[in-house]
Structures are given as structure tokens and as C-alpha cells.
Amino acid sequence: MKIRVLAILSVISVLIVVTVSSVILTSAGRELTQELQINRVTSLNRFAQLANDASSDNDTTQLQREMDRYSELYGEGILVRLQQQTVRSGDLSEDRAEVRDALNRASLNLSDTTLSPIRPFGSGTEVISRSFGTASQVLGEAVLEVNPEAAREKLRERWLVVGLAAVALGALLLLAAARITGWVLRPVHRLSLAVHELETTGKTSHLPDAGPPELRELSRSFTAMANTVTESIDSQRQLIADTSHELRNPVGALRLRIDLLQLALKSEPEKAAAAGVVAELERVEAILDGVLKLATAEHRAFEGSTRADQEAEHKHHSVIDPFPILQGEVERAMPAAERAGSVITLAQPEQPLHLACNPDELAHMVGELLTNAIKYAPGSRITVATNQTEGGLAVEVSDDGPGLSAEQRTASTTRFWRAPQHSKISGNGLGMTIVDRLAQANDAELVLEGRQPHGLTARLEFRQPSGGKDG
């Protein structure tokens, strides 16, 4: 947008400069033309008067002397045709067509003393003429050659001065246009970034009170609205976390009562009914645990949501070797994998690799991914590996199980979403959501891809750490 506005202002500035320069240069040309014309007409009138006196006295000596002196001084020819003879100086001759035309018009008592407008890069000379004599009789004609080269030189100098001034003015106008455009559009750009930030993170940084009054008021209104939205989101998230935490006490008390009740039950139907209640209670406990973990993960994802906070958070993360953490999670998942008939393989990297991440949260993410692979792909071969990527490092957990379709992979990070084919497997649909939020909190991205010929690959992509290992 800034480029488009600046382009329009630049065109307007150029038009202003060109218009002003054209007016100044046209006026300068007209001024020099008038100045030259007045000067030469005065000289022509003087020679006409001298010629008239010479015609009366029949003595052209004074006339010839004055004409020669003028031609020598200005380099312009003069031709005076009397009734008895023709007097000339310089290179002016009646052999030239324009001189003959001027003499013919003057013989008809038609004076021609108008010069064409001077152009800076023209060439050639012009002639002006007039007759002299009495009121009733033309005694002769005087023709004066006009060489406007000196005036052209002056006009070229003025063109140069005006051109330099136009360039300076144009540069000044463009600079002013750039400053004004930046002053007006900078708050709009900040507002656009703030809207995107609010949309993606639920938070936004405070907009500076800058720019035109209307945009300052808009920035203040948006900041107030964004604060309200952020407070509402935080309140909802806190409500979910508090509710989940508070429900754990009554659920724990309910479990204790059911355990005591089971001790008093004698018949098998009663025990079966109690077992069903316990199973549902365990499901509720799993959901509460998942909601608490999700609330913590979302809080981590949002607490460093602004650009400045993201940079500070990234610096705060420890630069660690992920292999020992992956090794610990694989060992922890081994018993469950053996019960499900799965085999877990941990790929040893060729050289130590490092990434910027919270160690506990990396362990949590890898543990969730291993749990999902064991639960939803029983009997499969599960591989855990770290790979160097162009932008950093990736931690992969892949299996050769049934996998998920492209649409299911897209929806898998939605809260409480579960694939239809997994409806009979216990779970709360929060595991992948928690991993996705924790990845965001660690400046990483969770990518789910299909594996050939079948299976699923969950990859945590971390950007390259900027620094050495941080203990």
C-alpha cells in the first residue's frame, strides 16, 4: 500500500515540478525575446533615421560608418536600400530570400519588427525591416539581421538553473511524500500486524500513539478492544483450568466412596455395575487431567505470543541435546509397547545435535506421540529419530500402522477430536492438541504426514538455535 500511495504522490510531485518549470522557462524565453526585440528595433529605427538623413543630403558616409561599426560590434548585417543606391554592412545581401521578402514588404510601407520566440537549442538568424521617408512617400527600406545566439545562451543557462532547481524541488517533494506516506501508513501497518497477531495468538502488543489524529484514535480503540478480547480469552482459559482443578477433589471423594461401596457389595451383578461406574469415573479423571494439561500448554503457547516475547522466550529456552530425553521416553514407553506387541526403535544420530527447547516439555511431547502410536497402531514398528533440516532440527515419531487420512491429520489437533475408527479405544482426544500447543510454546511446529506404504509420521520441527549450549 505504501508503494502505491508513494507512486501516486510521486506522479503528482513530478507533474507539479514540470508545470512550474514549464511556466518559468516559457516566461524566461518570452522575456529574452522581448528584450532582444526592443533592443534591435531601437537600432533599426536609428539606422532608418540615419538613412533618411543620408537620402536628404545625398551623403551616405555617416550611415556607412555607423553600419560598419554596428556589424563589427554585434556581428549582424545591415542593408539599407535608398532610391539611388544600396548600402550594406556585414554579410547581409538581398540575394537571401528572407531579405528580399523583407525589402518587398517594407517597400509597401509594411514594417516587420516581430521576432520568433527564442528557443534554447535553435539555430540561424532572423531579419526585421521597416521603411523610412515622408508620410506620403517611401524613400527607402532598412533591413537588420538579428542573431539571437547570445539570447539563446542566456536561455540555456536559465534552463540549467531551472533544471537543477526542478531536480532539487522534485527530490524534496519526493522526500516529503515518503515521510508523509510513512507517517500516515505506519500506524495502518502496525494496526494490520496487530490484527494478525490478535487473530493468531489472542494477544497483541500496545500500539504506539502516533500518526494522524484519526489513526491515533483508531489505534487507541483497537488497543482497548484487543485488551478486552485478551482478558476474555485469559478468563475463559483460567475458568477451564480452575474448574478442572476444583473438580478433582469431588471426583477423588467419589472414587473413595465407590471403593468403600465395592467392599460392601456381595453379588456379581452388583460388582459388575460398580466396575462400570469405576470405568466411567476413570474416564472423567482422564478428561480432567487432559484439560489441565491442555490449559497449561495453551498458557505456555500464549504467554510469549508477542514478537518481543517470542524472541525473549527463544533466548530463554535451553539449547539441549535431545537424544537423552528421547532415550528416556522410549525406555518409559517400552512396557506399554510390549503389551501392545509393538517394537520401538531409537535411531542414534551420527553426531550430537542440539535444539532450543524446554526439556520437560520436549519429554511431554515425545511421550504423548509415543502413547498415541502405541495405542492406535498396536503391533506396529515405531521409530524415534532426530534429523537435521534446512531450518533447524526435527524430532520424528513414526509408525507403520493404519495411519490417518489427510482430512483426519488436519483435524487431529482439534480439541476432543477422535478418528471414527478409534471410537472404541479409550482416549479423550486432547493428546495431539497438547503436543501442538507445546510445540508453539517452544517456537516449533507439529507436522503430521502419511508414511508409505502405510502409517503415520509426527514431526516436531524446531528452528536452528542461535548460540551454544546453555545449561
Side-chain angles (χ1 to χ4, degrees), residues 286-308:
I287 291 176
L288 291 176
D289 288 339
V291 169
L292 280 173
K293 291 178 181 178
L294 177 60
T296 302
E298 289 189 335
H299 177 72
R300 284 282 295 112
F302 283 111
E303 68 180 357
S305 57
T306 62
R307 289 179 293 276

Side-chain angles (χ1 to χ4, degrees), residues 18 25 60 100 103 120 125 219 231 258 295-296 307 328 394 427 455 460:
V18 170
L25 293 175
T60 60
R100 288 197 302 271
L103 289 172
T125 60
S219 298
E231 291 174 1
I258 291 176
T296 302
R307 289 179 293 276
L460 296 169

Side-chain angles (χ1 to χ4, degrees), residues 21-170:
S21 301
S22 299
V23 171
I24 294 175
L25 293 175
T26 302
S27 176
R30 188 181 301 113
E31 177 188 348
L32 290 173
T33 302
Q34 290 176 352
E35 180 182 338
L36 180 64
Q37 180 173 319
I38 292 171
N39 182 276
R40 294 305 186 263
V41 169
T42 301
S43 299
L44 179 64
N45 291 338
R46 178 171 175 272
F47 287 117
Q49 182 62 45
L50 290 173
N52 187 58
D53 295 342
S55 177
S56 300
D57 300 339
N58 291 322
D59 183 6
T60 60
T61 304
Q62 179 67 22
L63 175 62
Q64 185 67 59
R65 186 185 309 113
E66 293 291 337
M67 289 171 57
D68 291 340
R69 186 181 304 165
Y70 181 89
S71 297
E72 182 181 355
L73 180 62
Y74 292 103
E76 299 173 348
I78 306 171
L79 188 147
V80 176
R81 188 170 65 181
L82 303 172
Q83 291 180 343
Q84 300 85 5
Q85 61 178 320
T86 299
V87 183
R88 63 177 60 84
S89 66
D91 297 329
L92 196 62
S93 171
E94 55 263 70
D95 293 337
R96 292 168 53 178
E98 64 268 23
V99 175
R100 288 197 302 271
D101 292 341
L103 289 172
N104 292 334
R105 287 194 298 272
S107 65
L108 299 175
N109 202 18
L110 298 174
S111 299
D112 186 3
T113 57
T114 303
L115 295 177
S116 301
I118 296 176
R119 298 288 183 266
F121 303 105
S123 61
T125 60
E126 297 186 53
V127 294
I128 57 175
S129 63
R130 61 157 294 177
S131 61
F132 56 90
T134 63
S136 59
Q137 182 182 9
V138 175
L139 298 179
E141 300 84 24
V143 178
L144 175 65
E145 182 183 28
V146 179
N147 185 359
E149 186 57 36
R152 291 192 189 112
E153 181 65 27
K154 288 183 179 179
L155 186 57
R156 284 194 290 268
E157 292 176 357
R158 295 190 183 184
W159 271 60
L160 178 60
V161 172
V162 171
L164 294 176
V167 171
L169 178 61

Side-chain angles (χ1 to χ4, degrees), residues 1 184-200 203-205 207-208 215 218-219 222 307:
M1 182 177 180
V184 173
L185 294 184
R186 194 174 295 111
V188 178
H189 181 63
R190 290 196 189 105
L191 185 61
S192 177
L193 293 177
V195 171
H196 178 70
E197 189 177 10
L198 181 64
E199 178 185 6
T200 55
K203 288 185 177 182
T204 184
S205 55
L207 293 175
L215 291 179
L218 180 60
S219 298
F222 177 81
R307 289 179 293 276

Side-chain angles (χ1 to χ4, degrees), residues 321-324 326 346-353 384-388 393:
D321 180 0
F323 186 76
L326 302 184
L346 175 61
Q348 174 77 39
E350 296 180 358
Q351 59 182 4
L353 301 175
V384 180
T386 53
N387 297 312
Q388 193 78 43
L393 185 71

